[in-house]
Each structure stands twice: as structure tokens, then as C-alpha cells.
Amino acid sequence: DLNRPKVLSAQEKLMRLNPNIEVTPHYKMLSDKNASKIISRYDFIIDATDSLSTKFLINDVCVSEDKAFSYGGINGFQGATMTHIKGSACLRCLFENLPDEEPIIGPIGAIAGIIGSIQALEAIKFITDTGNLLTNSLLTVDSLTMELNRFGISKRTNCTSCHDK
């Protein structure tokens, strides 16, 4: 898969696992010009991007369009995830302003797999209306100590994304 677009490699692997599914690859950078058009087609968005500005773009579009989404972030041996649905705290409730980009350590595939698996479970729970979603909370994973922590997040009344939602 070296020198191959990730979206095409992922599409091929998913189709091999289940040829009855439809996979629509988007071989383009998500931007403020195309994000709404792309995101509006789906019921649940999983953020697995590696750019803080893209994570906030996904947040803002999903909140604006009442789309449920799961935020996920990793750095080195740590990861974090949260889910937003209409009326719950969003990523901007947690981080009022876009933090400075920090050097990324890794990625370490195992922590990406842990966070990605939790995000996949969130999507399944949302679609099947089963269990409790990670709304109004942030789940952190420290794979060096094998500690998981869940922190409550309050919806901010002056949030620039969801204050009127």
C-alpha cells in the first residue's frame, strides 16, 4: 500500500471483507468549501483525521447540520474520544479556541486501533439506538499505564458552534 491513496486502499480492503457494502471514497482534502456537501450525506461521522483545524471543521459542520459525530485523537501512547449528538457538548465546548498544533508523536497503531474501535462502537450504538453514547464526556486512554478516564464536559453557553443548538 505504499505510495497509494489511503482511501483507495481502505475501499479495497473493506470490499474484500464484505462485497455487499457500498464504499464511497473521497480523494480530496476536507475544506470549508466541500465539508458540508460531503458530511450532509451521512448519518454519523467518525473523525479520524490528524489535523486540529480539520477536527474543528468537522465539529462545526456537524453541529451546524445536526449530524452526530465521534471525535478521536491520538498522540504517542495516548488517545481521546467523545461523541456529539444534537444538544450535547461539542469539541468547541471542550476547547474554546483551536489549540496550537503540537508535534505528533507516532502514530502508534495500537492506540489508533483502540480509539478507532471505540469510535466504531459509538457509531454502532448510535445507528442501533443501543447503550449510552460518550456524549458530554471525554474518554482518555493512556496505554502506558492502561488507564482509562472519563471526564464530564458541560455545554458552554457561549460556545461558538453549539450555543444556539
Side-chain angles (χ1 to χ4, degrees):
D1 290 332
L2 289 175
N3 300 318
R4 248 180 113 207
K6 290 180 195 177
V7 295
L8 299 180
S9 176
Q11 178 187 32
E12 181 182 289
K13 286 175 175 54
L14 289 168
M15 296 298 291
R16 272 197 312 249
L17 287 171
N18 185 350
N20 298 316
I21 61 172
E22 179 183 330
V23 179
T24 306
H26 296 279
Y27 187 50
K28 58 184 93 175
M29 296 293 287
L30 195 67
S31 71
D32 57 352
K33 292 179 178 30
N34 66 16
S36 182
K37 183 177 180 182
I38 292 170
I39 287 172
S40 67
R41 299 176 56 197
Y42 303 99
D43 296 323
F44 191 90
I45 307 301
I46 296 178
D47 162 32
T49 63
D50 58 5
S51 160
L52 289 175
S53 59
T54 303
K55 290 178 181 307
F56 277 78
L57 174 62
I58 291 168
N59 176 86
D60 295 345
V61 171
C62 286
V63 169
S64 172
E65 299 197 8
D66 294 331
K67 292 289 181 177
F69 75 96
S70 175
Y71 154 80
I74 61 168
N75 194 7
F77 290 89
Q78 283 75 40
T81 184
M82 67 178 278
T83 297
H84 168 80
I85 59 172
K86 184 178 180 175
S88 70
C90 74
L91 190 58
R92 287 196 189 271
C93 291
L94 180 61
F95 300 107
E96 185 172 353
N97 298 308
L98 184 65
D100 293 332
E101 292 275 353
E102 294 183 9
I104 301 295
I105 301 169
I108 298 189
I111 193 70
I114 291 168
I115 296 299
S117 293
I118 292 169
Q119 289 181 284
L121 283 169
E122 288 293 280
I124 291 166
K125 291 187 308 184
F126 176 80
I127 291 167
T128 62
D129 193 25
T130 305
N132 298 314
L133 296 170
L134 282 171
T135 54
N136 298 314
S137 61
L138 178 74
L139 180 71
T140 62
V141 178
D142 184 334
S143 65
L144 292 177
T145 62
M146 295 311 290
E147 291 182 340
L148 281 74
N149 291 293
R150 187 171 177 166
F151 302 95
I153 302 169
S154 296
K155 189 171 174 179
R156 281 191 306 108
T157 56
N158 62 343
C159 176
T160 58
S161 281
C162 70
H163 73 280
D164 60 352
K165 290 282 182 179

